[in-house]
Amino acid sequence: MLMTLVFGASLNPSRYSNLAIRRLVENNIDTMAFGAREGNVSEVQIKTKLDDFPNVDTITLYLNPLRQKEYYQDILDLKPKRVIFNPGTENPEFVRILEDAGIMVENSCTLVLLATGQY
């Protein structure tokens, strides 16, 4: 079972991370979420601790590069196969770290990938 983790998830329905959760669920993609506040979006529980995410295949990032720094090691420890840097999250420093660890990186938009069947 391939699992996607929305990293930087928001309870605010106008935020792209919230929309991504909803679109992932609509596309029958197993989805988990990590964010600053606990809550539910489309029956996906947003968790605030990173120790609850086993078997992550893809991480789709919704944190700006400055906020990503504190999570570099946490994301590496999750051992995802792929990390998607959504618009506004591009981070050449972290891309190099991920690629050096053998993790595939995409500078793309999760919503576009889903809408075009490329996810």
Side-chain angles (χ1 to χ4, degrees), residues 55-97:
N55 305 317
V56 174
D57 180 74
T58 297
I59 292 176
T60 181
L61 280 176
Y62 288 94
L63 283 180
N64 72 50
L66 291 175
R67 296 211 41 231
Q68 290 170 23
K69 281 185 175 281
E70 69 183 279
Y71 296 107
Y72 284 4
Q73 191 59 53
D74 294 315
I75 289 172
L76 288 167
D77 290 346
L78 289 170
K79 296 180 174 45
K81 290 181 181 65
R82 168 174 73 157
V83 174
I84 299 171
F85 286 82
N86 286 278
T89 67
E90 298 90 347
N91 182 345
E93 175 185 70
F94 195 26
V95 165
R96 281 190 301 278
I97 292 167

Side-chain angles (χ1 to χ4, degrees), residues 5-113:
L5 173 59
V6 177
F7 203 100
S10 173
L11 293 170
N12 181 341
S14 68
R15 303 294 295 201
Y16 286 114
S17 63
N18 186 291
L19 183 56
I21 293 169
R22 291 182 276 139
R23 293 289 186 269
L24 288 161
V25 169
E26 288 170 9
N27 281 275
N28 297 313
I29 295 170
D30 291 319
T31 305
M32 300 180 291
F34 169 78
R37 293 191 191 103
E38 289 185 0
N40 289 294
V41 176
S42 292
E43 299 185 25
V44 173
Q45 181 184 2
I46 298 175
K47 298 180 180 180
T48 59
K49 292 189 168 89
L50 282 168
D51 52 359
D52 292 335
F53 300 111
N55 305 317
V56 174
D57 180 74
T58 297
I59 292 176
T60 181
L61 280 176
Y62 288 94
L63 283 180
N64 72 50
L66 291 175
R67 296 211 41 231
Q68 290 170 23
K69 281 185 175 281
E70 69 183 279
Y71 296 107
Y72 284 4
Q73 191 59 53
D74 294 315
I75 289 172
L76 288 167
D77 290 346
L78 289 170
K79 296 180 174 45
K81 290 181 181 65
R82 168 174 73 157
V83 174
I84 299 171
F85 286 82
N86 286 278
T89 67
E90 298 90 347
N91 182 345
E93 175 185 70
F94 195 26
V95 165
R96 281 190 301 278
I97 292 167
L98 292 166
E99 289 177 339
D100 287 348
I103 297 168
M104 187 175 85
V105 172
E106 276 186 65
N107 285 311
S108 192
C109 175
T110 296
L111 298 172
V112 171
L113 293 172

